[in-house]
Amino acid sequence: MNTTKTLLSGIQPTGRMHLGNYFGAVQSWVTYQNDYNTFLFIADLHALTTKYMSPEGLRETKQSLLQDILACGVDPKKACVFFQSDVSMHAELHLLFSMMTPLPWLERVPTYKDKITAMQDHDLNTYGFLGYPLLQAADIALYQADVVPVGRDQLPHMELTREVIRRFNHLVQKPVFKEPEALLTSHDVLLGTDGRKMSKSYGNTIPMSDTPEQRSATVMSMVTDPNRIRKTDPGTPEVCPVFAYHRIFNTADRVSEIAAACRGAEIGCVACKRDCAAALNAHLAPIDERRLTWSSTDTLKDIAKDGAKRAILVAGESLAKAKKSLHL
Ligand code: TRP
Ligand code: SF4
């Protein structure tokens, strides 16, 4: 008996992958792929819900995201990696789900109104944007996923997914889809360069595909302890975003040394940042190296094609069951 559980997760191609995406999600995928029957996809249809007015560059963003995912250590021999729009079952199941989803269920999802407010410069008063979490429910249902690693912000989408699946199974009187569990990832392990959540909209990200030189320049421009104006001022490492990076990228011994030197005003912020940039670049060196091995566009296309082929086998079977249960 095969008791391997199925895990699925997706990432939107709204920009280049950054360190926050890596530590918040992709790094854990690299571990999960050994323990689960793993499906990982690039949610390009989801990206269109906000980028429909200016989709230029989407193809390039998707490709670079795929390259970064592989660079991080996701192995296409272990995990099935694909682009959402290559597997038409996602769109089709979304439509079937839309038949039976009460509008208030979608309207009350907190991310809906929040994002409309946050993205005033985009017209999100659309059918597709309201249906964002329903498309996500279809993504998950199609693979009969047991677990879905997501950040805390995605919990309302997981709840909706479970409700929609329950309703579907109830209406057709058959357990067509499996109710998934959220697997919480610690989302904010790595904050942005200003100490806030790392997000493209805050302009505080470090893209994975930056060169070591670019990354160093970004670290040198980071916010530090605001009360440490001169090198002779004793600092408080706990409030410094650079120190938070040291904790992740440096050895425990070095972290203690830096904390003491900062408190005692023995190290200047410039030297401290230089040390931080070196540690960060050393940490990312294996990823940089692997990225080079995935630099062929043709190879990336083949991997996505192969992933879609495997995904279609599973998604097609689920969709066929769903259609049959609806007398289609
Ligand atoms: N909404 C997710 C996010 O923004 C991306 C996503 C789309 C997803 N479909 C999914 C995540 C299915 C997990 C499972 O992060
Ligand atoms: Fe931050 Fe380092 Fe400056 Fe201390 S010395 S405030 S830890 S950058």
Side-chain angles (χ1 to χ4, degrees):
M1 190 173 69
N2 180 11
T3 52
T4 308
K5 289 194 170 179
T6 296
L7 176 143
L8 169 135
S9 200
I11 184 168
Q12 275 197 76
T14 44
R16 277 198 294 162
M17 182 173 153
H18 56 66
L19 280 169
N21 302 133
Y22 176 60
F23 284 99
V26 181
Q27 188 182 43
S28 64
W29 295 357
V30 178
T31 317
Y32 294 144
Q33 67 184 349
N34 297 314
D35 306 328
Y36 292 93
N37 178 24
T38 304
F39 294 89
L40 302 171
F41 69 97
I42 293 176
D44 50 1
L45 293 173
H46 276 107
L48 274 189
T49 64
T50 48
K51 287 177 87 79
Y52 66 92
M53 284 178 287
S54 48
E56 310 74 32
L58 182 54
R59 196 169 293 119
E60 290 70 24
T61 307
K62 281 163 56 175
Q63 291 241 328
S64 89
L65 191 50
L66 177 58
Q67 188 182 359
D68 277 343
I69 288 171
L70 300 174
C72 290
V74 168
D75 180 348
K77 288 198 199 70
K78 293 180 181 169
C80 174
V81 189
F82 62 98
F83 294 129
Q84 184 186 31
S85 66
D86 286 342
V87 181
S88 61
M89 294 79 191
H90 292 245
E92 206 172 338
L93 184 60
H94 175 227
L95 182 76
L96 297 183
F97 278 171
S98 78
M99 304 300 169
M100 53 191 72
T101 305
L103 273 180
W105 287 16
L106 295 173
E107 286 161 349
R108 72 164 191 235
V109 173
T111 47
Y112 178 58
K113 287 198 174 102
D114 289 357
K115 227 172 161 186
I116 289 186
T117 314
M119 299 180 76
Q120 294 280 4
D121 50 332
H122 291 62
D123 183 359
L124 298 183
N125 199 7
T126 58
Y127 178 58
F129 188 67
L130 180 66
Y132 181 110
L134 198 58
L135 178 58
Q136 184 163 347
D139 297 338
I140 296 167
L142 279 175
Y143 300 90
Q144 309 288 351
D146 295 285
V147 286
V148 181
V150 284
R152 203 162 280 286
D153 61 313
Q154 293 290 308
L155 287 180
H157 292 176
M158 288 305 300
E159 206 34 60
L160 180 87
T161 298
R162 292 162 57 87
E163 281 170 325
V164 168
I165 288 176
R166 271 203 295 274
R167 183 163 165 91
F168 186 101
N169 289 346
H170 172 75
L171 288 170
V172 303
Q173 293 289 303
K174 266 191 212 89
V176 174
F177 294 113
K178 192 180 245 174
E179 254 187 75
E181 304 281 348
L183 188 59
L184 268 191
T185 54
S186 36
H187 220 326
D188 293 338
V189 238
L190 193 89
L191 295 172
T193 54
D194 55 1
R196 293 188 289 169
K197 177 186 160 80
M198 190 180 279
S199 162
K200 205 172 46 114
S201 47
Y202 291 152
N204 63 0
T205 69
I206 303 182
M208 297 293 288
S209 51
D210 267 1
T211 63
E213 293 70 32
Q214 287 168 322
R215 292 196 290 248
S216 296
T218 307
V219 171
M220 297 313 287
S221 73
M222 276 176 74
V223 171
T224 60
D225 172 1
N227 292 319
R228 199 171 180 214
I229 296 151
R230 274 169 243 96
K231 192 177 160 184
T232 49
D233 298 333
T236 311
E238 289 74 22
V239 303
C240 176
V242 178
F243 186 68
Y245 280 30
H246 275 297
R247 277 185 194 276
I248 293 174
F249 301 114
N250 249 321
T251 60
D253 285 351
R254 186 74 191 120
V255 171
S256 321
E257 274 170 34
I258 289 164
C262 175
R263 278 194 198 97
E266 289 148 23
I267 185 175
C269 290
V270 172
C272 183
K273 284 171 163 178
R274 237 182 244 131
D275 184 309
C276 181
L280 165 69
N281 282 328
H283 191 96
L284 295 183
I287 295 179
D288 291 341
E289 206 171 298
R290 233 180 286 127
R291 184 179 297 99
L292 293 176
T293 66
W294 296 114
S295 56
S296 149
T297 318
D298 286 341
T299 308
L300 293 174
K301 279 188 184 149
D302 285 346
I303 285 171
K305 220 159 90 193
D306 180 61
K309 225 197 241 162
R310 287 157 63 194
I312 283 169
L313 291 178
V314 181
E317 194 179 321
S318 290
L319 182 68
K321 272 193 210 157
K323 287 174 78 169
K324 187 160 179 242
S325 72
L326 289 168
H327 301 262
L328 289 168

